[in-house]
Amino acid sequence: MILLRQLLGDVLRRLRVRQGRTLREVSTLARVSLGYLSEVERGQKEASSELLASICGALGVPLSQVLREVSDQFALAELQAAPVLADVPEHERLPLSETVPGSIGDSVFPEVKDMVAA
């Protein structure tokens, strides 16, 4: 099962590491304990929307960008976990645009659509 808190933690950790910042620095700026931030990054704790906003502020990244990255990762994970369509007759298959409403079938996330097509 795909856990949202794990994907969120992965995205937050990647952003922090990409910026070359330490857990201590971000926890101080976000006004959250070092241990709690570590648990959020490891996907062990669910962060409230207020806490996420504070962490994103400390990282200088809009919350919407973090949620978009998490959403993209979630969509990929769902597609990888989906059953193989080889056993489903062609006439019963839904077009890709109908399997994940409002995302992959549209050109909202072309990079995800390209990954799926590959």
Side-chain angles (χ1 to χ4, degrees):
M1 179 161 91
I2 305 160
L3 294 178
L4 183 60
R5 71 174 184 255
Q6 289 176 334
L7 293 175
L8 181 59
D10 289 343
V11 169
L12 291 172
R13 181 184 299 115
R14 266 197 309 272
L15 287 168
R16 179 181 58 77
V17 169
R18 197 178 308 150
Q19 292 178 8
R21 299 171 86 180
T22 65
L23 269 171
R24 184 172 307 283
E25 179 183 359
V26 174
S27 70
T28 299
L29 290 171
R31 295 182 178 212
V32 61
S33 76
L34 180 79
Y36 197 83
L37 179 58
S38 176
E39 288 179 311
V40 168
E41 282 192 0
R42 287 181 281 137
Q44 295 177 336
K45 293 285 184 183
E46 297 271 353
S48 68
S49 56
E50 293 87 357
L51 180 62
L52 284 175
S54 184
I55 294 168
C56 290
L59 291 169
V61 178
L63 178 57
S64 60
Q65 177 184 334
V66 170
L67 295 177
R68 198 171 314 120
E69 288 186 38
V70 170
S71 177
D72 289 349
Q73 294 289 325
F74 204 91
L76 284 174
E78 284 180 324
L79 288 170
Q80 290 171 349
V84 178
L85 294 176
D87 297 331
V88 179
E90 183 69 34
H91 69 279
E92 291 181 16
R93 296 181 193 175
L94 289 175
L96 187 58
S97 61
E98 293 179 28
T99 59
V100 184
S103 61
I104 296 178
D106 304 337
S107 58
V108 176
F109 301 110
E111 64 279 359
V112 174
K113 189 174 179 181
D114 293 342
M115 289 177 183
V116 172

